[in-house]
Amino acid sequence: MGFRESSAPVEALVNELDLDNETDKAKEKESPLILTICMGGTDRSRVIAEELRKRGYDSWNRGIRSFTNRLTQEDIDRANHIIVVGDRVLEEVEEQFDLSGKKIDFLELIESIHSTKIKRGGEHEESVRELIREDLDLLDLVDQQEEIEPIPA
């Protein structure tokens, strides 16, 4: 009889741990880690990461040829979803890194045109941001602004 009485707190603890585990799984589903990659990691991928953060995503940017913001395998491993900007960037990323099991999307923003507009700022940068927002709307991303269903108790 004493054994039975002591098992109730253990059972409650196991149920609580299971609930915590389910909550962690739901958080992972709610907020994918999105890595954006361009050539230098300062213009196009930065703006895409900013736009993703405005939508509620955990996002960061890197450059395949950057000296200060260089892409690493750790970045690839950490990301659930990768957005690559530019044909040459995609080719280099595929040659240099293990992308196994990663969801990868491609956006075509031309470095010589779109990076220049971003650097010019103002209405030029805003025109690129609008293109990026339109492209992001077409990707298969969970809308972080929508209310996520709570986990059943």
Side-chain angles (χ1 to χ4, degrees):
M1 189 155 162
F3 180 76
R4 232 180 200 174
E5 291 174 7
S6 66
S7 69
V10 171
E11 186 177 316
L13 179 60
V14 169
N15 289 339
E16 185 178 322
L17 290 174
D18 286 344
L19 183 58
D20 288 345
N21 191 23
E22 292 302 315
T23 301
D24 289 343
K25 287 179 186 175
K27 284 181 183 174
E28 287 175 16
K29 272 186 169 180
E30 288 175 18
S31 186
L33 301 173
I34 304 176
L35 169 62
T36 63
I37 306 168
C38 68
M39 195 60 76
T42 57
D43 296 319
R44 297 168 298 165
S45 64
R46 175 187 54 83
V47 172
I48 294 168
E50 288 172 1
E51 291 297 327
L52 287 165
R53 285 192 294 273
K54 287 178 185 177
R55 294 176 180 216
Y57 293 100
D58 186 358
S59 183
W60 74 105
N61 65 295
R62 293 289 186 257
I64 189 71
R65 294 188 185 171
S66 176
F67 293 109
T68 59
N69 194 23
R70 191 172 200 81
L71 178 65
T72 65
Q73 186 64 49
E74 288 92 21
D75 289 313
I76 300 286
D77 294 342
R78 180 177 165 222
N80 304 99
H81 192 147
I82 299 170
I83 298 175
V84 179
V85 184
D87 288 337
R88 291 183 319 179
V89 175
L90 181 59
E91 289 171 14
E92 288 188 36
V93 170
E94 289 175 333
E95 289 171 5
Q96 297 177 32
F97 296 97
D98 177 14
L99 302 173
S100 302
K102 299 297 176 179
K103 179 175 181 179
I104 300 173
D105 280 307
F106 174 78
L107 296 182
E108 183 60 52
L109 294 172
I110 301 165
E111 184 173 11
S112 61
I113 297 171
H114 297 102
S115 288
T116 303
K117 286 184 175 186
I118 291 169
K119 285 179 174 124
R120 290 176 72 189
E123 66 186 36
H124 305 286
E125 180 177 349
E126 185 53 39
S127 69
V128 176
R129 285 184 181 274
E130 184 56 37
L131 284 173
I132 289 169
R133 287 190 287 267
E134 290 171 8
D135 285 349
L136 290 176
D137 288 343
L138 298 175
L139 297 181
D140 184 24
L141 302 171
V142 175
D143 186 355
Q144 295 297 306
Q145 302 301 328
E146 291 179 9
E147 189 172 316
I148 308 284
E149 285 186 41
I151 300 170

